[in-house]
Amino acid sequence: MSAHGATPNRIERFAVSPRRRRSDKLARALVLTGTIIALIPLVLVIYYLLHEGLKAWSPHFFTTDPTGNTFFKNSDIGGIRSAMLGTIEMVALASLIAVPIGIGVAVWLVEYGKGHWFAQLVRFFVDVLTGVPSIVFGLFIYIVLIIGTGSTFAGYKGALALSLLMLPVITRSAEVVLLLVPNALRESALALGAERWKVIFRIVLPTAVSGLVTGVLLAIARAAGETAPLLFTSGATNKTSSNLGEFMNSLPVQIYNDVISPTQSVVNRAWGAALTLVVLILILNLVARLVSRRSRLA
Amino acid sequence: MEAASIPGGDRSKLERSPLARFPDRALRYGLTLLAALILALIVFFFVRLVGEARPAFAKEGVLGFTFTNNWDVSSEHFGALPLVVGTLITSVLALLMGVPVAVATALYITELCPRRIKAPITILIELLAAVPSVVYGLWGIFFLAPKLQPAEQWVANKLSFIPFIGGGTVTIPNYFVAGLILAIMILPIVSAISREVMATVPLDHKEAALGLGATRWEMIRIAVLPYCRTGIVGGSMLGLGRAIGETIAVTLVIGDAPQLSGHLFSQGYTLAAVIANEFGEATGLHRSALFAAALVLFVLTLLVNAVARLVVMRANRSRNQPRQSGLGGSRSNVADLAETAAMGA
Amino acid sequence: MTPDASPHITAGASPPAADIKAEKMLQPSQPQQPAPPPDTTASAPPSAASIVKQGPQVRLQALRAFYGSAEQVKGVDLEFPANKVTAIIGPSGCGKSTMVRCINRMHEEIPGARAEGKVLLDDIDLYDSSVDVIAVRRAIGMVFQKPNPFPTMSIYDNVASGLRLSGIGRGELRGKVESALRSAGLWEEVADRLSEPGMGLSGGQQQRLCIARSLAVDPEVLLMDEPCSALDPIATLKIEELIATLKQRVTIVIVTHNMQQAARVADRTAFMLSGEMVEVGPTQEIFTTPNDPRTEEYVTGKFG
């Protein structure tokens, strides 16, 4: 490597100029920094949730309703039982409504509406619905079911607002999953002389099931954390109720109301409730991921 | 029984019976009806919302409502300009802070990071979307806003010569904190859409750039970013839509003051926050004004989202790529048949 | 065997391919071809029906097929004689798959696609408004390019799926599944693992599973759209042997881009070009003394 006079030239030819090398390094560093910055809030939120939330956790915390008695420093403010149960009840009802409709619309989009202008329109509206602010969904229900009927807040109204919110999420994710089902499978079944509805129920949906479940779980996770649609539909209350026709408490609404409180113990309860809610949502996300890993589709 | 179909088979079984395929038709029309119902429902809600908002619009006028700087509940004046401006300021702040970081994460995940940590980082970014709005609000008001205040005050003092940023007293809840929280909240979606479009950049383009002797960053600049520009813009607009409509977190950290303050670190209000805060006690004209605010919010997000969707759709379609990454493998020979036919036409 | 077979037949079951450009072909396959039929029938007593049964004749009359405004098949008249194997060859994009998909009316499943003209099964027009498209597909089975067992189902369920999906009697399911698997030459290989997933089989086995699945609903015609294009030579050979035995039971139409394959398995061969039927005749003639110069160019490898 020394004999040739041209060697230094050669090295120069194969080297990236220092300036370019610097800008490459700088850009990579910036990108990495950006990624780290993005993760900082996650770490901080989780840290504070654990730090503050665990202080509030106790068996008493999970098994009692809020007492509403927050005026004196040493009074028992109660826990989050009604909020947890209310969230579960309303989200369950919302899922019962939104899952069949959401998947039904996705099936229609993929299996029947393909290429049709009306399907394009529906798809566009579903897309747009995913961007409607959640509080607006709450007001929709308020107008129709509270002003419209002259009645007051109720658990099922909250559930309906949540189902409006879940619907586009479920439809979009289900559509994506159904599109992943190879057309060859549909064709094989059709070529065997199967009717389309049987192809859908016996071949397409079973093949897509894990993806559908993942989408549904993510939609449920999203609905479980929503406050705004519930504020003016299910209201807020202290007592546990199994009657969806009554006011119903929920974790997000209780957190929201507790945050505004001037009493420290109530704010602590908000942290505890927030930790509970996040754990619940993370579990749903985790299960969704595990389910999607079992997918038969690419 | 095999014998029945021996010579040529029983041809009568090919005949269509009048009731044949009823479930098929039922499912088809049932589902079509369902899809149509959703459209009808949206229209119905919209009409009802307009109806409820009408008294406020009648009093203030549509433009007067939207562009008057006077939100005074006790004297029944409802000019929503402070709310509209607050919504825009916080959303734009969210974009300014959120998009660069989101694009950086997307670039890092798709182009630079070691294969091993690709999936974990993606999951972590997506976890940001799993934290509920009210939890961000709780964290924002009890941790982020108080901790940031000294720093904000320092910036305000040092940069007092810059109109919007400098001078004045820094309140704990303010536009900036709200914008920052929103930036965190829109980060996952902008990052996800950016990743999606970056995944569609053809390997040829990237290899061509590298083959010319480009460094990794030059490859990104030459091959990846120009290709993804539209997609990133669309994704950012979807983020903007989210930021505009985000309610609870903002309500908790913006200070709920219906004022038009020309200052980054002062209290404000947004359309969504005013509804969350005041709707519970509102009656009569006040309630109508809040419905009007909801209508403005609704229309604003519809517009932003519609444009964003169109941009994303165009970005993905113009390069003849399947809409969702990973769809490529599933295209059957039918799609190919149709495609060859279409090209032949 | 069949009276109407005589005019265009060359030498019974013996492969018409024997004297064609042999250097390109799988030599060992030649002597084996006559052998399988007795062998398979012997090992398949339950499906005794396969010996007697006579498939129908299929005729296309002025068949045209469109995707939107693009015409893929431009007025084809063609006859598929009963219990014969007819191969459709032609360059890719010539409309051969589309034409075959018109026979069991799968073509119309693609949005924007439609067909005109007649497809006659014996003397019934399958496009007549009184005809039920579902019944058409039960009578005319189809095997696709890539093996595609239903991924959620076991081997057994895959074969039974046609019967179950079309709601045909439950009682004899087991017997029908076994006989279909035997007819597809797969029984010996899977008899002891019927409850395992169909996706666990090798590519060739999967394709034979798909053939068994089609046979289980007892079709009269079997359409095969490049059934071996995703398979290795050994698996291809097995399918080709299978075709030779299946034609005693059903009328077979096979689309292939592999001319050697057409030569090996088909009694008659049709050559298509840009949506038109150029020439059809006994396989041997098409490959040795075609009438149309375009056919000659294609079979001698000058294009396509």
Side-chain angles (χ1 to χ4, degrees):
Chain A
M1 73 187 262
S2 55
H4 293 279
T7 305
N9 265 342
R10 256 205 200 160
I11 288 174
E12 236 162 68
R13 260 182 64 203
F14 286 111
V16 177
S17 77
R19 193 185 52 78
R20 287 173 61 205
R21 199 193 298 273
R22 261 202 310 278
S23 70
D24 185 50
K25 276 210 174 123
L26 181 71
R28 281 170 184 244
L30 277 177
V31 168
L32 181 62
T33 314
T35 310
I36 292 168
I37 288 176
L39 295 177
I40 290 175
L42 184 70
V43 174
L44 288 176
V45 168
I46 290 176
Y47 172 77
Y48 273 85
L49 269 177
L50 288 172
H51 188 258
E52 301 290 323
L54 283 177
K55 281 194 252 172
W57 276 19
S58 69
H60 181 73
F61 177 75
F62 291 107
T63 52
T64 54
D65 290 343
T67 58
N69 182 3
T70 61
F71 307 106
F72 305 104
K73 213 174 175 193
N74 296 320
S75 54
D76 173 23
I77 58 166
I80 59 165
R81 185 180 68 175
S82 64
M84 285 196 304
L85 293 175
T87 286
I88 291 169
E89 285 172 59
M90 285 192 287
V91 169
L93 178 61
S95 311
L96 280 180
I97 299 165
V99 170
I101 298 180
I103 292 182
V105 172
V107 165
W108 179 77
L109 283 173
V110 174
E111 305 291 330
Y112 291 110
K114 227 175 212 170
H116 199 274
W117 66 267
F118 186 58
Q120 301 279 26
L121 187 74
V122 170
R123 183 176 292 117
F124 185 75
F125 267 89
V126 168
D127 270 349
V128 166
L129 265 187
T130 57
V132 172
S134 56
I135 194 158
V136 174
F137 285 123
L139 290 189
F140 284 157
I141 296 297
Y142 185 91
I143 291 175
V144 176
L145 291 180
I146 292 176
I147 297 182
T149 62
S151 57
T152 180
F153 301 150
Y156 80 90
K157 294 172 188 172
L160 276 172
L162 291 182
S163 70
L164 281 181
L165 186 103
M166 292 170 72
L167 191 69
V169 182
I170 293 176
T171 299
R172 284 302 277 123
S173 67
E175 193 196 351
V176 170
V177 174
L178 292 176
L179 281 171
L180 280 175
V181 175
N183 230 336
L185 292 183
R186 293 184 183 88
E187 297 206 318
S188 307
L190 285 171
L192 286 171
E195 291 142 279
R196 209 162 240 289
W197 69 276
K198 278 191 183 160
V199 177
I200 291 168
F201 283 104
R202 304 281 281 276
I203 306 292
V204 177
L205 291 179
T207 307
V209 74
S210 68
L212 295 175
V213 171
T214 301
V216 166
L217 287 175
L218 291 177
I220 291 177
R222 175 154 177 225
E226 279 291 345
T227 317
L230 297 178
L231 279 178
F232 313 118
T233 51
S234 65
T237 178
N238 287 330
K239 73 176 178 60
T240 298
S241 168
S242 56
N243 180 353
L244 284 156
E246 297 175 348
F247 279 53
M248 197 163 263
N249 203 2
S250 58
L251 282 171
V253 172
Q254 183 172 339
I255 296 167
Y256 180 66
N257 288 334
D258 285 355
V259 171
I260 311 171
S261 164
T263 313
Q264 185 55 42
S265 58
V266 176
V267 173
N268 289 343
R269 184 173 67 188
W271 281 104
L275 180 60
T276 312
L277 183 59
V278 169
V279 167
L280 187 82
I281 288 171
L282 288 188
I283 289 174
L284 282 168
N285 271 279
L286 193 72
V287 175
R289 267 173 215 293
L290 289 179
V291 171
S292 77
R293 202 166 287 175
R294 300 199 47 190
S295 170
R296 290 192 177 81
L297 303 167
Chain B
M1 79 149 274
E2 295 271 293
S5 58
I6 282 181
D10 175 11
R11 289 286 165 258
S12 68
K13 72 186 177 193
L14 285 180
E15 261 169 50
R16 191 210 299 264
S17 76
L19 267 178
R21 316 305 158 223
F22 172 73
D24 238 2
R25 262 176 293 159
L27 185 67
R28 170 177 214 129
Y29 293 122
L31 289 181
T32 313
L33 199 69
L34 201 63
L37 258 173
I38 289 186
L39 293 197
L41 208 61
I42 297 174
V43 174
F44 172 69
F45 282 144
F46 186 78
V47 170
R48 289 297 303 266
L49 190 55
V50 172
E52 293 297 330
R54 185 168 293 155
F57 283 139
K59 178 164 180 284
E60 310 279 348
V62 176
L63 291 179
F65 176 83
T66 317
F67 298 110
T68 306
N69 176 18
N70 182 8
W71 186 271
D72 186 345
V73 178
S74 53
S75 60
E76 297 219 315
H77 284 297
F78 299 106
L81 188 65
L83 317 175
V84 175
V85 170
T87 301
L88 294 181
I89 290 177
T90 50
S91 310
V92 169
L93 283 173
L95 282 191
L96 288 178
M97 293 185 273
V99 170
V101 175
V103 172
T105 59
L107 276 178
Y108 185 71
I109 289 169
T110 52
E111 303 296 341
L112 297 176
C113 90
R115 184 170 287 274
R116 256 175 317 118
I117 60 169
K118 202 167 180 163
I121 291 208
T122 312
I123 291 176
L124 286 178
I125 299 280
E126 280 171 5
L127 276 187
L128 277 174
V131 177
S133 172
V134 70
V135 175
Y136 276 120
L138 174 70
W139 175 74
I141 198 60
F142 285 113
F143 165 76
L144 186 65
K147 298 261 159 148
L148 273 182
Q149 199 224 6
E152 291 169 318
Q153 188 64 62
W154 182 82
V155 170
N157 295 342
K158 288 286 169 193
L159 301 178
S160 55
F161 52 92
I162 303 177
F164 182 63
I165 298 173
T169 23
V170 173
T171 54
I172 290 183
N174 60 42
Y175 289 129
F176 178 78
V177 175
L180 187 56
I181 292 272
L182 286 176
I184 298 169
M185 296 179 78
I186 65 169
L187 203 150
I189 187 172
V190 181
S191 173
I193 300 230
S194 305
R195 282 201 307 273
E196 209 174 277
V197 288
M198 283 173 194
T200 66
V201 176
L203 201 58
D204 313 2
H205 289 207
K206 295 199 267 182
E207 286 181 344
L210 290 175
L212 287 172
T215 62
R216 201 91 195 153
W217 167 245
E218 285 164 342
M219 182 273 283
I220 290 174
R221 228 183 48 215
I222 299 169
V224 178
L225 288 180
Y227 196 89
C228 301
R229 199 184 310 122
T230 346
I232 293 172
V233 168
S236 308
M237 292 192 66
L238 283 181
L240 178 66
R242 288 278 164 88
I244 290 173
E246 181 46 54
T247 311
I248 297 299
V250 176
T251 310
L252 291 172
V253 297
I254 194 142
D256 302 339
Q259 60 186 14
L260 201 57
S261 61
H263 197 281
L264 178 63
F265 301 117
S266 65
Q267 303 181 37
Y269 227 156
T270 67
L271 287 164
V274 83
I275 302 168
N277 238 351
E278 298 184 356
F279 193 84
E281 292 92 48
T283 50
L285 193 63
H286 185 199
R287 193 173 76 177
S288 174
L290 293 174
F291 278 124
L295 188 62
V296 173
L297 182 65
F298 186 41
V299 171
L300 205 59
T301 49
L302 278 193
L303 285 178
V304 170
N305 275 293
V307 174
R309 289 290 171 190
L310 287 176
V311 170
V312 174
M313 244 189 247
R314 276 247 306 280
N316 285 353
R317 193 175 296 160
S318 64
R319 53 196 55 142
N320 199 15
Q321 286 279 345
R323 248 166 86 142
Q324 233 64 36
S325 40
L327 240 169
S330 71
R331 287 158 58 92
S332 74
N333 53 340
V334 182
D336 294 338
L337 275 177
E339 205 169 80
T340 37
M343 285 191 300
Chain C
M1 297 161 271
T2 52
D4 62 327
S6 41
H8 28 243
I9 198 66
T10 47
S14 84
D19 40 8
I20 315 166
K21 307 189 173 48
E23 78 280 359
K24 278 190 191 167
M25 300 182 42
L26 275 172
Q27 289 288 357
S29 77
Q30 301 306 321
Q32 278 180 20
Q33 266 208 326
D39 186 46
T40 323
T41 32
S43 72
S47 63
S50 64
I51 308 165
V52 220
K53 202 141 129 225
Q54 183 184 325
Q57 184 190 35
V58 177
R59 272 175 298 158
L60 313 182
Q61 291 182 352
L63 182 73
R64 305 170 70 196
F66 305 83
Y67 290 104
S69 57
E71 191 171 359
Q72 272 296 94
V73 176
K74 302 167 180 169
V76 166
D77 293 279
L78 187 59
E79 239 184 82
F80 302 100
N83 295 83
K84 289 279 170 277
V85 178
T86 306
I88 320 279
I89 59 170
S92 29
C94 72
K96 52 191 193 300
S97 284
T98 307
M99 186 190 81
V100 165
R101 291 168 60 89
C102 289
I103 299 176
N104 67 343
R105 297 185 58 179
M106 284 301 290
H107 177 64
E108 63 204 62
E109 290 299 332
I110 302 169
R114 68 200 159 84
E116 284 173 10
K118 281 185 176 175
V119 175
L120 298 169
L121 182 70
D122 287 336
D123 50 358
I124 296 203
D125 180 9
L126 299 180
Y127 279 82
D128 192 274
S129 61
S130 69
V131 167
D132 183 358
V133 59
I134 302 294
V136 167
R137 294 183 191 144
R138 277 178 207 161
I140 305 180
M142 188 160 194
V143 176
F144 295 84
Q145 203 165 353
K146 282 193 198 125
N148 53 4
F150 297 129
T152 53
M153 296 184 186
S154 67
I155 293 171
Y156 180 90
D157 289 336
N158 256 290
V159 181
S161 62
L163 297 164
R164 285 181 177 146
L165 284 168
S166 53
I168 298 174
R170 199 144 280 245
E172 292 167 86
L173 216 51
R174 222 191 148 80
K176 286 191 172 175
V177 168
E178 181 178 339
S179 108
L181 279 169
R182 280 189 194 279
S183 307
L186 195 60
W187 178 252
E188 314 291 332
E189 293 160 59
V190 302
D192 55 340
R193 46 174 176 152
L194 289 174
S195 57
E196 285 174 28
M199 297 296 271
L201 298 173
S202 73
Q205 288 174 322
Q206 285 188 18
Q207 192 61 304
R208 277 181 286 146
L209 179 64
C210 292
I211 293 176
R213 185 172 68 184
S214 302
L215 292 176
V217 290
D218 203 15
E220 301 170 32
V221 180
L222 195 57
L223 310 175
M224 306 179 106
D225 187 356
E226 307 197 10
C228 302
S229 65
L231 304 182
D232 62 71
I234 308 279
T236 300
L237 187 65
K238 279 222 162 104
I239 303 270
E240 289 177 3
E241 286 169 2
L242 185 58
I243 292 172
T245 58
L246 283 178
K247 73 174 176 181
Q248 301 176 16
R249 180 173 160 186
V250 291
T251 303
I252 295 178
V253 179
I254 175 169
V255 171
T256 177
H257 59 239
N258 176 339
M259 281 180 280
Q260 283 81 32
Q261 182 169 63
R264 286 194 297 267
V265 302
D267 301 305
R268 288 166 60 82
T269 296
F271 173 58
M272 269 184 91
L273 193 60
S274 347
E276 281 162 29
M277 186 55 60
V278 174
E279 188 170 0
V280 56
T283 299
Q284 200 171 9
E285 264 177 38
I286 295 285
F287 282 97
T288 53
T289 56
N291 293 325
D292 195 295
R294 289 173 293 174
T295 314
E296 171 145 31
E297 277 181 22
Y298 185 71
V299 297
T300 54
K302 292 223 173 84
F303 76 96

